[in-house]
Amino acid sequence: GAVVSQHPSRVICKSGTSVKIECRSLDFQATTMFWYRQFPKQSLMLMATSNEGSKATYEQGVEKDKFLINHASLTLSTLTVTSAHPEDSSFYICSARVGTGVGSGNTIYFGEGSWLTVV
Amino acid sequence: EDQVTQSPEALRLQEGESSSLNCSYTVSGLRGLFWYRQDPGKGPEFLFTLYSAGEEKEKERLKATLTKKESFLHITAPKPEDSATYLCAVQAMRETGRRALTFGSGTRLQVQP
């Protein structure tokens, strides 16, 4: 089946530095990818929608200058956490949709997630 | 605003003890209702997509059903390896804009041997 891959799976960075997380669709093209954030024992919260070739759409309350999203190709989206702070420590997960229409074939797969720890 | 409520929050079963997880939703036109399994520290693993009321899908010991207001995930004769958090999510029918999933808070299932 379709696979979405994230890298790195775990990263530790110092406060004030930037860190990039990659999300790749391995065997399909994804014009749209989604970035979520998950705190321990909580559900997934949408951060932004990544659109290939155009600007990302951010959810209310998500700082676009802090969480930079680039969707440069149909198989790659990146999330860069800039000037990271300890409160940015979280589990970041991307997803991509396979299928284009309503009805069968609309499946959304998730990556394995990336643990970010800011020290 | 789309809303998804899952119950119970946590469920502990004995191996072989069948049960059901509930997902109630409100959405402005349902494009799809999704069930995922999430193990600790991992991304959600896709289980099912349901599209219309009355639809049912099965996979091994799991069966998902859908009505106009809720979905159930039935677990028949569960095994310890079925222990995980089960997430329900909806996708709204929109031509443009937000097509991401709205998630419930999940049901943490623990199956004891």
Side-chain angles (χ1 to χ4, degrees):
Chain A
V3 177
V4 176
S5 178
Q6 273 185 249
H7 178 80
S9 58
R10 289 183 179 273
V11 58
I12 300 173
C13 71
K14 293 183 178 181
S15 289
T17 63
S18 296
V19 60
K20 180 185 289 187
I21 300 170
E22 292 186 347
C23 177
R24 294 181 183 274
S25 56
L26 296 185
D27 54 3
F28 64 99
Q29 294 183 332
T31 55
T32 303
M33 292 184 178
F34 305 95
W35 286 96
Y36 292 82
R37 184 174 182 176
Q38 187 177 33
F39 291 103
K41 297 187 177 181
Q42 294 188 25
S43 193
L44 284 74
M45 298 299 295
L46 179 69
M47 297 175 65
T49 302
S50 172
N51 305 298
E52 188 269 336
S54 65
K55 292 183 179 180
T57 304
Y58 290 83
E59 293 299 295
Q60 191 172 8
V62 178
E63 299 175 60
K64 60 181 66 177
D65 294 331
K66 181 169 186 59
F67 299 99
L68 300 179
I69 291 173
N70 185 297
H71 197 150
S73 76
L74 287 171
T75 59
L76 174 65
S77 175
T78 60
L79 168 68
T80 301
V81 182
T82 63
S83 186
H85 291 284
E87 56 265 32
D88 298 325
S89 299
S90 188
F91 190 48
Y92 293 88
I93 314 173
C94 71
S95 72
R97 188 181 72 176
V98 177
T100 56
V102 177
S104 61
N106 181 23
T107 302
I108 299 179
Y109 290 96
F110 283 80
E112 309 96 323
S114 299
W115 282 102
L116 170 63
T117 302
V118 185
V119 298
Chain B
E1 184 180 339
D2 305 333
Q3 287 192 329
V4 179
T5 303
Q6 290 188 247
S7 62
E9 185 176 317
L11 180 62
R12 183 177 295 179
L13 300 173
Q14 290 295 124
E15 184 172 2
E17 180 186 2
S18 301
S19 188
S20 295
L21 282 55
N22 177 263
C23 171
S24 298
Y25 66 91
T26 55
V27 63
S28 54
L30 182 68
R31 189 180 183 98
L33 184 140
F34 297 75
W35 281 99
Y36 290 89
R37 169 193 171 128
Q38 186 176 29
D39 293 304
K42 302 279 184 67
E45 174 189 342
F46 172 77
L47 295 175
F48 306 107
T49 308
L50 302 169
Y51 298 98
S52 58
E55 188 175 1
E56 298 182 354
K57 288 191 176 176
E58 288 187 67
K59 180 181 180 180
E60 297 180 351
R61 295 178 292 281
L62 301 176
K63 178 180 177 181
T65 61
L66 180 65
T67 71
K68 290 186 178 180
K69 294 183 178 181
E70 58 190 351
S71 176
F72 290 94
L73 183 65
H74 307 277
I75 303 177
T76 302
K79 297 181 178 181
E81 53 262 42
D82 295 323
S83 298
T85 295
Y86 290 85
L87 298 170
C88 172
V90 297
Q91 185 184 40
M93 188 84 71
R94 294 191 179 92
E95 290 300 321
T96 60
R98 193 178 188 281
R99 287 186 178 176
L101 300 181
T102 299
F103 279 88
S105 54
T107 294
R108 294 191 303 278
L109 174 65
Q110 184 177 6
V111 182
Q112 295 182 315

